[in-house]
Every structure is written in C-alpha cells, then in structure tokens.
Amino acid sequence: MPVNLPPPDLEKLFPIAGMRIGVAEAGVRKVGRKDLTVVLLEEGASVSGVFTSNRFCAAPVQMCRDHLATGQAMRALLINTGNANAGTGADGLARARKTCVALAQKLSINVEQILPFSTGVIMEPLPDDRIIAGLDAALADAKPGNWLRAAEGIMTTDTAPKAFGAQVVLGGKTVSITGISKGAGMIRPNMATMLGFIATDACVNQNLMKQLSLELAEGSFNRVTVDGDTSTNDSLVVIATNRAGHTPVESLDGPDGRALKTAMLEVARNLAQAIVRDGEGATKFITVQVDGGRTAEECRKVAYAIAHSPLVKTAFYASDPNLGRILAAVGYAGIDDLDQTGIELYLDDVHVATRGGRNPTYREEDGQRVMKQSEITVRVGLGRGTATETVWTCDFSHEYVTINADYRS
C-alpha cells in the first residue's frame, strides 16, 4: 500500500480548456485494463518536454525529441502502458511511427505533431496493431475531465493513480493546473521510470516552455529516487493551452511568472512525491535534507548517496537505528576534502551525531522511535557553507524483491 498517499481529489482535477483526454482498453499486454491514452490539443498550445538521461533511451523518447525539434505545434499525445518499446532498435522506431501515422490520419494533422510515450516491459516488440485498433475507442472517449481515467491508464506496477491540481490567479484570471504521473520502480533522478504530464490553461510564450519544464523537473522529479536505476523511458511533458485570457507570461522572473511556476511546482512535487510514496514495496517515506554545503551540487551528492544506499534503506525498513550506515554514505558521496568533524546528523528531532561522532546525549531508543514512523526526515549538516538540497526516497522491503522478480510473470 502507498505510504500516506491520499486518493486523487476529483474536485481538484481541473479540466483544462483547449484539451481533451480519451482512454481505452487496447490489450497491449493484459486484457481488460486501461492501457491506451490520447491527449488532444487544440491549436495554439505551447508544449515542451524533459526526457531521460539514459543513453539507451526508448523509441518513443527518440521520436518525441525529434518531433519537438521540428518546431511544429504539438496537437496530440499518444500514451501506452504494458510495453516500453525500449531496446527494440529500428523495429521499435518503425512501430512507434506506425501508431503516430495512424493517429495523425484520424486527426488530419502531421505525424510530427504527435508525441508518443510508452511504459512497461523493456525489449519486447510494441504491439502496434493493438494500439492502432484501440485508437477509435480512445478518441470516442475524449473529454476535458478525464484526468483520473488517464492516471489509471498509464499505471504499470503502481498501486494507485497519481493526480493533483491547483489554481492560481494571473492578471485577474483564474488559471487551472492539473497533472498526472506514473512510476513505482526503476526510479532515480535524471529522470526515472516515470511518465509525467502537467497541463495548464495559462498563457505562456512557447519560447519560455523549455525553461519552465526544466525548472519544474529540477525541483520535483529530479529529486526522487526509489532504487537508483535510471530508466529508458522517462518523460515529463508540460502543456500550456493559452486559453485563460490573461496577458501571456513572458518571463519566470516577473510576478505572474513566479506565481505560475510556484503553483505548477506544487503540482509537480506532489506528483513526484506520490511516486516515492507508491514505490515498489515501500513502507516508509523518507526526506533527506543536506544543509551547510559549499555548493548545491555537493549537497545533492550527499543526499543521493544516502537515498540510494541499500544498506540505509533496508535499515529503515527494519526500523533498525544502524545509523553508521548514513555516516558512511556521507563519507563516500564524493566530497574529497570533507572534514568529518564538521558533520551533524539528525533523525527528525533526534540529534544522532555531532562533530562527526555519536552525540553523547543520543539514545538508541530515540532513534528507533523515529525509524518506526511512516514518514521520516534525515537531516545532515556538512558545516561547509550555506547551500542546501532535499531529495525524497523510500525504504527497501521484501516486497520490492518479489515485485521485480515476478515483474514479467
């Protein structure tokens, strides 16, 4: 079960003007489950994306990058679950293109105006015939308020749909933001086995969209890790339909730009944290905060070293305050001139280590009390500067091994 993840609030999954969503059962991998989603955009939408850093990226990731690079206005997204279409070579690209061609013909648009996305099992041929056969049902289902069905339709090993919304006033107009994501395993920053789609009816200049999507990813999805594996298919797409009627946002540094980014970042962080809360086999949600670094980069190194460590994660699962594992992770994080006598370590309000050694007032029962909680904050002070960074992770349980051992069954 997810760790303190509430079900989506339907009243806050706002329909976005200029956008419709349709979901169908195409039998991509399993019969009787939602696995095909189309997102239809009216003319005038601004679109950008951020994709995996894995060099062995999937066919749809390659196509998305190519289609966005044409500079054409995006008019549709085509999303399937059950098959990642990764590790499939030229055949995977050809199959992905066939699905886009079929949808383009039905919508009377150019194939390059479609962004394809896939998630699921790697190195199996994409069943493009089933996807194409399911397009009519997905198009017939298309409506503005289909966010929850879409959140369900992109799930793989997720145990719960992930969807959040927010509103903000820009130029006297109420602007709506809604997003969905999926992901539970093979999750690591830069990015993870995740799909994320965030849309707003705000008016945003297309020239600003790349910066907006990068900053949203950096503040949310690039701050989560479940198991340290960077996937082949990660994609975050940000859409502005330009229908809210206010003066277009030209900069993220102005009042409207800051307000819009803050609201969208709230949605993005909720979606990213939902992935960790629903991490495969997770029983605990862990915030790792590193303060006192000389740079943000070295704070991130330490935070990721802690968050990725199987020894740390299994200790949290067992509620075992074997906290030397955290100090060891700090030490191997890659800060060559780190002075261990400056290190401070806290679990929530419990001061565990000071000046690089055990705090004389620390009691193991206090550490165990915190580690039994379902939500825990690990705070490390480096004593080197003023930089600070935060990442979110979860524990490792027996269930994680079971899920991944049986994934293809």
Side-chain angles (χ1 to χ4, degrees):
M1 294 293 292
V3 182
N4 299 333
L5 177 62
D9 184 348
L10 294 180
E11 292 185 358
K12 292 186 178 179
L13 302 185
F14 304 106
I16 303 299
M19 176 176 174
R20 293 181 296 136
I21 304 169
V23 182
E25 297 177 3
V28 174
R29 183 171 178 81
K30 297 180 179 180
V31 176
R33 66 150 297 169
K34 306 179 190 74
D35 56 10
L36 179 62
T37 302
V38 294
V39 178
L40 307 177
L41 304 175
E42 296 181 15
E43 291 185 2
S46 303
V47 181
S48 185
V50 182
F51 302 95
T52 181
S53 61
N54 192 318
R55 295 299 299 167
F56 211 97
C57 59
V61 170
Q62 298 175 55
M63 290 187 65
C64 281
R65 287 172 171 155
D66 290 344
H67 290 187
L68 286 168
T70 68
Q72 296 188 55
M74 296 301 115
R75 295 293 308 280
L77 280 57
L78 175 58
I79 312 161
N80 76 267
T81 188
N83 184 297
N85 196 12
T88 49
D91 178 70
L93 286 168
R95 289 173 183 257
R97 182 172 177 82
K98 283 175 64 177
T99 64
C100 288
V101 167
L103 181 57
Q105 290 174 345
K106 292 179 182 296
L107 299 177
S108 298
I109 61 176
N110 296 330
V111 66
E112 292 82 9
Q113 293 180 288
I114 298 173
L115 299 179
F117 303 89
S118 297
T119 183
V121 178
I122 294 173
M123 244 175 73
E124 291 187 3
L126 182 74
D128 52 285
D129 54 338
R130 299 177 202 167
I131 293 173
I132 292 170
L135 288 177
D136 284 338
L139 291 172
D141 185 59
K143 57 181 69 73
N146 254 355
W147 284 106
L148 181 58
R149 280 175 57 78
E152 294 169 343
I154 63 175
M155 293 166 57
T156 49
T157 58
D158 309 62
T159 67
K162 302 164 179 68
F164 294 90
Q167 289 185 319
V168 64
V169 176
L170 302 180
K173 303 291 186 179
T174 298
V175 167
S176 296
I177 303 158
T178 305
I180 59 175
S181 66
K182 63 78 51 182
M186 200 183 279
I187 301 292
R188 176 188 172 137
N190 301 318
M191 291 166 41
T193 290
M194 52 77 54
L195 297 179
F197 306 96
I198 303 175
T200 177
D201 56 4
C203 302
V204 184
N205 190 300
Q206 177 65 47
N207 295 332
L208 190 61
M209 291 298 292
K210 187 63 176 179
Q211 179 188 353
L212 178 60
S213 61
L214 286 171
E215 292 193 17
L216 291 179
E218 187 63 18
S220 60
F221 293 102
N222 280 348
R223 291 289 177 272
V224 299
T225 178
V226 169
D227 49 22
D229 276 341
T230 299
S231 166
T232 54
N233 290 60
D234 317 330
S235 303
L236 169 65
V237 173
V238 180
I239 299 166
T241 62
N242 294 300
R243 293 304 181 96
H246 59 86
T247 302
V249 175
E250 302 284 351
S251 169
L252 297 181
D253 296 326
D256 281 357
R258 289 194 298 268
L260 177 63
K261 178 186 167 183
T262 297
M264 296 189 76
L265 190 56
E266 175 191 349
V267 173
R269 282 181 175 165
N270 282 334
L271 292 170
Q273 290 183 15
I275 289 173
V276 173
R277 292 182 185 279
D278 195 26
E280 290 171 341
T283 69
K284 295 174 183 177
F285 178 83
I286 303 163
T287 299
V288 182
Q289 178 181 326
V290 180
D291 303 322
R294 288 182 185 164
T295 65
E297 179 182 2
E298 69 179 26
C299 289
R300 286 194 296 271
K301 284 183 178 180
V302 172
Y304 293 150
I306 296 168
H308 291 156
S309 167
L311 290 177
V312 171
K313 293 160 79 70
T314 51
F316 275 107
Y317 172 64
S319 300
D320 176 17
N322 189 355
L323 302 175
R325 294 178 176 183
I326 296 177
L327 294 178
V330 174
Y332 65 61
I335 303 177
D336 294 336
D337 62 344
L338 181 66
D339 180 1
Q340 63 177 287
T341 64
I343 302 301
E344 305 289 327
L345 172 62
Y346 294 81
L347 287 184
D348 282 2
D349 61 335
V350 177
H351 194 176
V352 177
T354 183
R355 298 181 180 180
R358 182 184 178 116
N359 182 0
T361 65
Y362 169 69
R363 299 183 306 166
E364 183 156 315
E365 54 264 37
D366 291 331
Q368 190 170 53
R369 167 179 57 81
V370 175
M371 293 187 76
K372 287 181 177 179
Q373 299 171 178
S374 60
E375 301 213 17
I376 302 164
T377 297
V378 176
R379 184 161 60 87
V380 176
L382 299 180
R384 294 163 55 86
T386 59
T388 182
E389 285 287 341
T390 300
V391 303
W392 302 285
T393 190
C394 58
D395 57 339
F396 263 166
S397 70
H398 300 291
E399 185 67 13
Y400 176 86
V401 177
T402 299
I403 291 170
N404 283 283
D406 296 340
Y407 182 65
R408 298 205 308 163
S409 301

